[in-house]
Amino acid sequence: QVQLVESGGGLVQPGVSLRLSCTASRNSFEIYAMGWVLQAPGKQRELVAVISSNDRIHYADSVQGRFVISRDNAKNTIYLQMDSLRPEDTAVYYCNADQVFRLSYVGDSGSWGQGTQVTGSS
């Protein structure tokens, strides 16, 4: 499977921004879609945003207008720009790479990053 390495999480005050990064290994030719999935303690995983190799994009309603997903094909990297962070955004964010473009989280598939903690708290 593709190996994914994440970075960019942290603790910030509500209203501040973060940018997450996820870099795939060199065999990323197998990837059709990459995205971000969050998991809060005790809760189900939830799709945040996904982008396909041909720039099809989908966002969860809760982050529409606040978060932006983007890709840099030359670096095999995707980003999640997170603006106007709220306490309810607090979760572990996992990078995912898959051969299927999904509109919601339906179960573990594809490759996964190690997760990065995002905390929006005063």
Side-chain angles (χ1 to χ4, degrees):
Q1 293 187 349
V2 176
Q3 294 182 346
L4 304 173
V5 179
E6 305 178 33
S7 63
L11 171 64
V12 299
Q13 186 175 345
V16 180
S17 298
L18 284 175
R19 190 175 77 154
L20 308 183
S21 299
C22 174
T23 298
S25 57
R26 296 176 63 186
N27 60 336
S28 57
F29 66 91
E30 299 178 351
I31 299 172
Y32 177 67
M34 294 181 65
W36 297 93
V37 174
L38 68 81
Q39 185 169 31
K43 296 184 178 180
Q44 177 64 281
R45 290 187 176 188
E46 177 182 353
L47 179 68
V48 178
V50 60
I51 184 168
S52 73
S53 60
N54 57 350
D55 292 327
R56 181 182 179 188
I57 294 175
H58 174 74
Y59 295 101
D61 290 343
S62 61
V63 306
Q64 184 74 42
R66 296 190 298 122
F67 294 4
V68 176
I69 189 170
S70 61
R71 60 165 44 227
D72 185 335
N73 291 334
K75 297 180 179 180
N76 296 318
T77 299
I78 64 166
Y79 306 92
L80 186 67
Q81 178 67 40
M82 310 168 69
D83 295 334
S84 301
L85 280 164
R86 305 167 180 172
E88 53 263 41
D89 296 320
T90 297
V92 177
Y93 286 71
Y94 295 92
C95 181
N96 173 254
D98 208 341
Q99 66 271 29
V100 178
F101 185 89
R102 304 185 189 275
L103 302 180
S104 63
Y105 178 79
V106 297
D108 290 345
S109 64
S111 300
W112 293 87
Q114 80 279 10
T116 185
Q117 176 71 42
V118 172
T119 303
S121 176
S122 61

Coordinates of all heavy atoms in Angstrom, one line a residue, residues 27-97:
N27 N 5.0 5.5 -5.0 CA 4.1 4.6 -5.8 C 2.7 5.2 -5.8 O 1.7 4.5 -5.8 CB 4.1 3.2 -5.3 CG 3.7 3.1 -3.9 OD1 3.8 4.0 -3.1 ND2 3.2 1.9 -3.5
S28 N 2.5 6.5 -5.8 CA 1.2 7.2 -5.7 C 0.5 7.1 -7.0 O -0.7 7.6 -7.1 CB 1.4 8.6 -5.3 OG 2.3 9.3 -6.2
F29 N 1.0 6.5 -8.1 CA 0.3 6.3 -9.3 C -1.0 5.4 -9.1 O -1.9 5.5 -9.9 CB 1.2 5.6 -10.4 CG 1.6 4.2 -10.1 CD1 0.8 3.2 -10.5 CD2 2.8 4.0 -9.3 CE1 1.2 1.9 -10.2 CE2 3.2 2.7 -9.0 CZ 2.4 1.6 -9.5
E30 N -1.0 4.7 -8.0 CA -2.2 3.8 -7.7 C -3.3 4.6 -7.1 O -4.5 4.1 -7.1 CB -1.8 2.7 -6.7 CG -0.7 1.8 -7.2 CD -0.4 0.7 -6.2 OE1 -0.8 0.9 -5.0 OE2 0.4 -0.2 -6.6
I31 N -3.1 5.9 -6.7 CA -4.1 6.7 -6.0 C -5.0 7.4 -7.0 O -4.6 8.0 -7.9 CB -3.4 7.7 -5.1 CG1 -2.5 7.0 -4.1 CG2 -4.4 8.6 -4.4 CD1 -1.7 7.9 -3.3
Y32 N -6.3 7.3 -6.7 CA -7.3 8.1 -7.5 C -7.8 9.3 -6.6 O -7.9 10.4 -7.1 CB -8.5 7.3 -7.9 CG -9.5 8.1 -8.6 CD1 -9.3 8.7 -9.8 CD2 -10.8 8.3 -8.0 CE1 -10.3 9.5 -10.4 CE2 -11.7 9.1 -8.6 CZ -11.5 9.7 -9.8 OH -12.4 10.4 -10.4
A33 N -8.0 9.1 -5.3 CA -8.5 10.1 -4.4 C -7.7 10.1 -3.1 O -7.2 9.1 -2.6 CB -9.9 9.9 -4.1
M34 N -7.5 11.3 -2.6 CA -6.9 11.5 -1.3 C -7.7 12.5 -0.5 O -8.3 13.4 -1.1 CB -5.4 12.0 -1.4 CG -4.5 11.0 -2.0 SD -2.8 11.7 -2.1 CE -2.4 11.8 -0.4
G35 N -7.8 12.2 0.8 CA -8.6 13.1 1.6 C -8.2 13.1 3.1 O -7.2 12.5 3.5
W36 N -9.1 13.7 3.9 CA -8.9 13.8 5.3 C -10.1 13.3 6.0 O -11.2 13.6 5.7 CB -8.6 15.3 5.7 CG -7.3 15.8 5.1 CD1 -7.2 16.5 4.0 CD2 -6.0 15.7 5.7 NE1 -5.9 16.9 3.7 CE2 -5.2 16.4 4.8 CE3 -5.5 15.1 6.8 CZ2 -3.8 16.5 5.0 CZ3 -4.1 15.2 7.0 CH2 -3.3 15.9 6.1
V37 N -9.8 12.5 7.0 CA -10.9 11.9 7.9 C -10.6 12.2 9.3 O -9.4 12.1 9.8 CB -11.0 10.4 7.7 CG1 -11.9 9.8 8.7 CG2 -11.4 10.1 6.2
L38 N -11.5 12.7 10.1 CA -11.3 13.0 11.5 C -12.0 12.0 12.4 O -12.9 11.3 12.0 CB -11.9 14.4 11.8 CG -13.4 14.7 11.8 CD1 -14.0 14.2 13.1 CD2 -13.6 16.2 11.6
Q39 N -11.4 11.9 13.6 CA -12.0 11.0 14.6 C -11.8 11.7 16.0 O -10.7 11.8 16.4 CB -11.3 9.6 14.6 CG -12.0 8.7 15.5 CD -11.6 7.2 15.4 OE1 -10.4 7.0 15.0 NE2 -12.5 6.3 15.7
A40 N -12.9 12.0 16.6 CA -12.9 12.5 17.9 C -13.0 11.3 18.9 O -13.6 10.2 18.5 CB -14.1 13.4 18.2
P41 N -12.5 11.3 20.1 CA -12.6 10.2 21.0 C -14.0 9.7 21.2 O -14.9 10.5 21.5 CB -12.0 10.8 22.3 CG -11.0 11.9 21.8 CD -11.7 12.5 20.7
G42 N -14.2 8.4 21.1 CA -15.5 7.9 21.3 C -16.5 8.1 20.2 O -17.7 7.7 20.4
K43 N -16.1 8.6 19.1 CA -17.0 8.9 18.0 C -16.5 8.2 16.7 O -15.4 7.8 16.6 CB -17.1 10.4 17.7 CG -17.8 11.2 18.9 CD -18.0 12.6 18.6 CE -18.6 13.4 19.7 NZ -18.8 14.8 19.4
Q44 N -17.4 8.1 15.8 CA -17.1 7.5 14.5 C -16.3 8.4 13.7 O -16.3 9.6 13.8 CB -18.4 7.1 13.8 CG -18.3 6.5 12.4 CD -17.6 5.2 12.4 OE1 -16.4 5.1 12.5 NE2 -18.4 4.1 12.3
R45 N -15.5 7.8 12.8 CA -14.7 8.6 11.8 C -15.6 9.3 10.9 O -16.7 8.8 10.5 CB -13.7 7.7 11.1 CG -12.6 7.2 12.0 CD -11.5 6.5 11.2 NE -10.4 6.1 12.0 CZ -9.3 5.6 11.6 NH1 -9.1 5.4 10.3 NH2 -8.3 5.3 12.4
E46 N -15.2 10.5 10.4 CA -16.0 11.3 9.6 C -15.1 11.9 8.5 O -14.1 12.5 8.8 CB -16.7 12.4 10.4 CG -17.5 13.4 9.6 CD -18.1 14.5 10.4 OE1 -17.9 14.5 11.7 OE2 -18.6 15.5 9.9
L47 N -15.6 11.8 7.3 CA -14.9 12.4 6.1 C -15.0 13.9 6.2 O -16.1 14.5 6.4 CB -15.5 11.9 4.8 CG -14.8 12.5 3.6 CD1 -13.4 12.0 3.4 CD2 -15.7 12.2 2.3
V48 N -13.8 14.6 6.1 CA -13.8 16.0 6.1 C -13.7 16.6 4.7 O -14.5 17.5 4.4 CB -12.5 16.5 6.9 CG1 -12.4 18.0 6.9 CG2 -12.5 16.0 8.3
A49 N -12.8 16.1 3.9 CA -12.7 16.6 2.5 C -11.9 15.6 1.7 O -11.1 14.8 2.3 CB -11.9 17.9 2.5
V50 N -12.2 15.5 0.4 CA -11.5 14.6 -0.4 C -11.3 15.3 -1.8 O -12.1 16.1 -2.2 CB -12.3 13.3 -0.6 CG1 -13.7 13.6 -1.2 CG2 -11.6 12.3 -1.4
I51 N -10.2 14.9 -2.4 CA -9.9 15.5 -3.7 C -9.4 14.3 -4.6 O -8.6 13.5 -4.2 CB -8.8 16.6 -3.6 CG1 -8.6 17.2 -5.0 CG2 -7.5 16.1 -3.0 CD1 -7.8 18.5 -4.9
S52 N -9.8 14.3 -5.9 CA -9.4 13.3 -6.8 C -8.2 13.7 -7.7 O -7.8 14.9 -7.6 CB -10.6 12.9 -7.7 OG -10.8 13.9 -8.7
S53 N -7.7 12.8 -8.4 CA -6.6 13.1 -9.3 C -6.9 14.1 -10.4 O -6.0 14.7 -10.9 CB -6.0 11.8 -9.9 OG -7.0 11.2 -10.7
N54 N -8.2 14.2 -10.7 CA -8.6 15.2 -11.7 C -9.4 16.3 -11.0 O -10.3 17.0 -11.7 CB -9.5 14.5 -12.8 CG -10.7 13.8 -12.2 OD1 -10.8 13.6 -11.0 ND2 -11.6 13.4 -13.1
D55 N -9.1 16.6 -9.8 CA -9.6 17.8 -9.0 C -11.1 17.8 -8.7 O -11.6 18.9 -8.5 CB -9.2 19.1 -9.8 CG -7.7 19.3 -9.8 OD1 -7.0 18.9 -8.8 OD2 -7.2 19.8 -10.8
R56 N -11.7 16.7 -8.7 CA -13.0 16.6 -8.1 C -12.9 16.8 -6.6 O -12.1 16.1 -6.0 CB -13.7 15.3 -8.4 CG -15.1 15.2 -7.9 CD -15.8 13.9 -8.2 NE -17.1 13.7 -7.7 CZ -17.8 12.6 -7.7 NH1 -17.3 11.5 -8.3 NH2 -19.0 12.6 -7.2
I57 N -13.7 17.6 -5.9 CA -13.6 17.9 -4.5 C -14.9 17.8 -3.8 O -16.0 18.2 -4.4 CB -13.0 19.3 -4.3 CG1 -11.6 19.4 -4.8 CG2 -13.1 19.7 -2.8 CD1 -11.0 20.8 -4.8
H58 N -14.9 17.3 -2.6 CA -16.1 17.2 -1.8 C -15.7 17.6 -0.4 O -14.7 17.1 0.1 CB -16.7 15.8 -1.8 CG -17.9 15.7 -0.9 ND1 -19.1 16.2 -1.1 CD2 -18.0 15.0 0.3 CE1 -19.9 16.0 -0.1 NE2 -19.3 15.2 0.8
Y59 N -16.6 18.4 0.3 CA -16.4 18.8 1.7 C -17.6 18.4 2.5 O -18.7 18.4 2.0 CB -16.3 20.3 1.8 CG -15.1 20.9 1.2 CD1 -15.2 21.6 -0.1 CD2 -13.8 20.9 1.8 CE1 -14.0 22.1 -0.7 CE2 -12.7 21.5 1.2 CZ -12.8 22.1 0.0 OH -11.7 22.7 -0.6
A60 N -17.3 18.1 3.8 CA -18.4 17.9 4.7 C -19.1 19.3 4.9 O -18.4 20.3 4.9 CB -17.9 17.4 6.0
D61 N -20.4 19.2 5.2 CA -21.1 20.5 5.4 C -20.6 21.3 6.5 O -20.6 22.5 6.5 CB -22.6 20.2 5.6 CG -23.3 19.6 4.4 OD1 -22.8 19.8 3.3 OD2 -24.4 19.0 4.6
S62 N -20.0 20.6 7.5 CA -19.6 21.3 8.7 C -18.3 22.2 8.5 O -18.0 23.1 9.3 CB -19.3 20.3 9.8 OG -18.3 19.4 9.5
V63 N -17.6 21.9 7.4 CA -16.4 22.6 7.1 C -16.4 23.4 5.8 O -15.5 24.2 5.5 CB -15.1 21.7 7.1 CG1 -15.0 20.9 8.3 CG2 -15.2 20.8 5.8
Q64 N -17.5 23.3 5.1 CA -17.7 24.1 3.9 C -17.5 25.6 4.1 O -18.1 26.2 5.0 CB -19.1 23.8 3.3 CG -19.3 24.5 1.9 CD -18.6 23.8 0.8 OE1 -18.5 22.6 0.8 NE2 -18.0 24.6 -0.1
G65 N -16.6 26.2 3.4 CA -16.4 27.6 3.5 C -15.3 28.0 4.5 O -14.9 29.1 4.6
R66 N -14.9 27.0 5.3 CA -13.8 27.2 6.3 C -12.5 26.5 6.0 O -11.4 27.0 6.2 CB -14.3 26.8 7.7 CG -15.4 27.6 8.2 CD -15.6 27.3 9.7 NE -16.0 25.9 10.0 CZ -15.3 25.1 10.7 NH1 -14.2 25.5 11.4 NH2 -15.7 23.8 10.9
F67 N -12.7 25.3 5.4 CA -11.5 24.4 5.1 C -11.4 24.4 3.6 O -12.3 24.4 2.9 CB -11.7 23.0 5.7 CG -11.7 22.9 7.2 CD1 -11.6 24.0 8.0 CD2 -11.7 21.7 7.8 CE1 -11.6 23.9 9.4 CE2 -11.7 21.5 9.1 CZ -11.7 22.6 9.9
V68 N -10.1 24.2 3.1 CA -9.8 24.1 1.7 C -8.8 23.0 1.5 O -7.7 23.0 2.2 CB -9.3 25.4 1.1 CG1 -8.9 25.1 -0.4 CG2 -10.3 26.5 1.2
I69 N -9.2 22.0 0.7 CA -8.3 20.9 0.4 C -7.6 21.2 -1.0 O -8.2 21.8 -1.9 CB -9.0 19.5 0.3 CG1 -8.0 18.4 0.2 CG2 -10.0 19.5 -0.8 CD1 -8.6 17.0 0.4
S70 N -6.3 20.9 -1.1 CA -5.6 21.2 -2.3 C -4.5 20.1 -2.5 O -4.3 19.3 -1.6 CB -5.0 22.5 -2.3 OG -4.0 22.7 -1.3
R71 N -3.9 20.0 -3.7 CA -2.9 19.0 -4.0 C -1.8 19.6 -4.7 O -1.9 20.6 -5.5 CB -3.5 17.8 -4.7 CG -4.1 18.2 -6.1 CD -4.4 17.0 -7.0 NE -5.0 15.9 -6.3 CZ -4.6 14.7 -6.5 NH1 -3.5 14.4 -7.3 NH2 -5.2 13.7 -5.8
D72 N -0.6 19.0 -4.5 CA 0.6 19.3 -5.3 C 1.1 18.0 -5.9 O 1.7 17.2 -5.2 CB 1.6 20.0 -4.4 CG 2.9 20.4 -5.2 OD1 3.2 19.9 -6.3 OD2 3.5 21.4 -4.7
N73 N 0.8 17.8 -7.1 CA 1.1 16.5 -7.7 C 2.6 16.2 -7.8 O 3.1 15.1 -7.7 CB 0.5 16.4 -9.1 CG -1.0 16.3 -9.1 OD1 -1.6 15.8 -8.1 ND2 -1.7 16.7 -10.1
A74 N 3.4 17.3 -8.0 CA 4.8 17.1 -8.1 C 5.4 16.6 -6.8 O 6.5 15.9 -6.8 CB 5.5 18.4 -8.5
K75 N 4.8 17.0 -5.7 CA 5.3 16.5 -4.4 C 4.5 15.4 -3.8 O 4.8 14.9 -2.7 CB 5.2 17.7 -3.4 CG 6.1 18.9 -3.8 CD 6.0 20.0 -2.8 CE 6.9 21.2 -3.1 NZ 6.8 22.3 -2.1
N76 N 3.6 14.8 -4.5 CA 2.7 13.8 -4.0 C 2.1 14.1 -2.7 O 2.0 13.3 -1.8 CB 3.5 12.5 -3.9 CG 4.0 11.9 -5.3 OD1 3.2 12.0 -6.2 ND2 5.2 11.5 -5.3
T77 N 1.6 15.4 -2.6 CA 1.2 15.9 -1.3 C -0.2 16.5 -1.4 O -0.5 17.2 -2.5 CB 2.2 16.9 -0.8 OG1 3.4 16.3 -0.6 CG2 1.7 17.6 0.5
I78 N -1.0 16.4 -0.4 CA -2.3 17.1 -0.3 C -2.2 18.0 1.0 O -1.4 17.7 1.9 CB -3.5 16.2 -0.2 CG1 -3.5 15.3 1.0 CG2 -3.6 15.5 -1.5 CD1 -4.9 14.7 1.2
Y79 N -3.0 19.0 1.0 CA -3.0 19.9 2.1 C -4.5 20.1 2.6 O -5.4 20.0 1.8 CB -2.4 21.3 1.8 CG -1.1 21.2 1.2 CD1 -0.9 21.1 -0.2 CD2 0.1 21.2 2.0 CE1 0.4 21.0 -0.7 CE2 1.3 21.1 1.5 CZ 1.5 21.0 0.1 OH 2.8 21.0 -0.4
L80 N -4.6 20.5 3.8 CA -5.9 20.9 4.3 C -5.7 22.3 5.1 O -5.1 22.3 6.2 CB -6.6 19.9 5.3 CG -8.0 20.2 5.7 CD1 -8.9 20.2 4.6 CD2 -8.4 19.3 6.8
Q81 N -6.1 23.3 4.4 CA -6.1 24.6 5.1 C -7.3 24.8 5.9 O -8.4 24.7 5.4 CB -6.0 25.7 4.0 CG -6.0 27.2 4.6 CD -4.8 27.5 5.3 OE1 -3.7 27.1 4.9 NE2 -4.9 28.2 6.4
M82 N -7.1 25.0 7.2 CA -8.2 25.0 8.2 C -8.3 26.4 8.8 O -7.4 26.8 9.6 CB -7.9 24.0 9.3 CG -7.6 22.6 8.7 SD -7.0 21.4 10.0 CE -8.5 21.2 11.0
D83 N -9.3 27.2 8.4 CA -9.5 28.5 8.9 C -10.6 28.6 9.9 O -11.5 27.7 9.8 CB -9.7 29.5 7.7 CG -8.5 29.7 6.8 OD1 -7.4 29.5 7.3 OD2 -8.8 30.0 5.6
S84 N -10.7 29.6 10.7 CA -11.7 29.8 11.6 C -12.0 28.5 12.5 O -13.1 28.1 12.6 CB -13.0 30.2 10.9 OG -12.8 31.4 10.2
L85 N -11.0 28.0 13.0 CA -11.1 26.8 13.8 C -12.0 27.0 15.0 O -12.0 28.0 15.7 CB -9.7 26.3 14.3 CG -8.9 25.5 13.2 CD1 -7.4 25.5 13.6 CD2 -9.5 24.2 13.0
R86 N -12.7 25.9 15.3 CA -13.7 25.9 16.4 C -13.4 24.8 17.4 O -12.7 23.8 17.0 CB -15.1 25.7 15.9 CG -15.5 26.7 14.8 CD -16.8 26.3 14.1 NE -17.3 27.3 13.2 CZ -18.3 27.1 12.3 NH1 -18.9 25.9 12.3 NH2 -18.6 28.0 11.4
P87 N -13.8 24.9 18.6 CA -13.6 23.8 19.5 C -14.1 22.4 19.0 O -13.5 21.4 19.3 CB -14.3 24.2 20.8 CG -14.3 25.7 20.7 CD -14.4 26.0 19.3
E88 N -15.2 22.5 18.3 CA -15.8 21.2 17.8 C -14.9 20.6 16.6 O -15.2 19.5 16.2 CB -17.2 21.4 17.3 CG -17.4 22.6 16.4 CD -17.8 23.9 17.1 OE1 -17.3 24.1 18.2 OE2 -18.7 24.6 16.5
D89 N -13.9 21.3 16.1 CA -13.0 20.8 15.1 C -12.0 19.9 15.8 O -11.2 19.2 15.1 CB -12.3 21.9 14.3 CG -13.3 22.7 13.5 OD1 -14.2 22.1 12.9 OD2 -13.1 23.9 13.5
T90 N -11.9 19.9 17.1 CA -10.9 19.1 17.8 C -11.0 17.6 17.5 O -12.1 17.0 17.8 CB -11.0 19.4 19.3 OG1 -10.7 20.8 19.6 CG2 -9.9 18.5 20.1
A91 N -10.0 17.0 17.0 CA -10.0 15.6 16.7 C -8.6 15.2 16.2 O -7.7 16.1 16.0 CB -11.0 15.3 15.6
V92 N -8.4 13.9 16.0 CA -7.3 13.4 15.2 C -7.7 13.4 13.7 O -8.7 12.8 13.4 CB -6.8 12.0 15.7 CG1 -5.7 11.5 14.8 CG2 -6.4 12.1 17.2
Y93 N -6.8 14.0 12.9 CA -7.1 14.0 11.5 C -6.2 13.0 10.8 O -4.9 13.1 10.9 CB -6.8 15.4 11.0 CG -7.9 16.4 11.3 CD1 -8.1 16.8 12.7 CD2 -8.9 16.8 10.4 CE1 -9.1 17.7 13.0 CE2 -9.9 17.7 10.7 CZ -10.0 18.1 12.1 OH -11.0 19.0 12.4
Y94 N -6.8 12.1 10.0 CA -6.1 11.1 9.3 C -6.1 11.4 7.8 O -7.1 11.7 7.3 CB -6.7 9.7 9.6 CG -6.5 9.2 11.0 CD1 -7.6 9.5 11.9 CD2 -5.4 8.5 11.4 CE1 -7.5 9.0 13.2 CE2 -5.3 8.1 12.7 CZ -6.3 8.3 13.6 OH -6.2 7.9 14.9
C95 N -5.0 11.2 7.2 CA -4.9 11.3 5.7 C -5.2 9.9 5.2 O -4.8 8.9 5.7 CB -3.5 11.7 5.3 SG -3.2 11.8 3.5
N96 N -6.0 9.9 4.1 CA -6.4 8.7 3.4 C -6.1 8.8 1.9 O -6.3 9.8 1.3 CB -7.9 8.4 3.7 CG -8.4 7.2 2.9 OD1 -9.1 7.4 1.9 ND2 -8.0 6.0 3.3
A97 N -5.7 7.6 1.4 CA -5.5 7.5 -0.1 C -6.3 6.3 -0.5 O -6.1 5.2 0.1 CB -4.1 7.4 -0.5

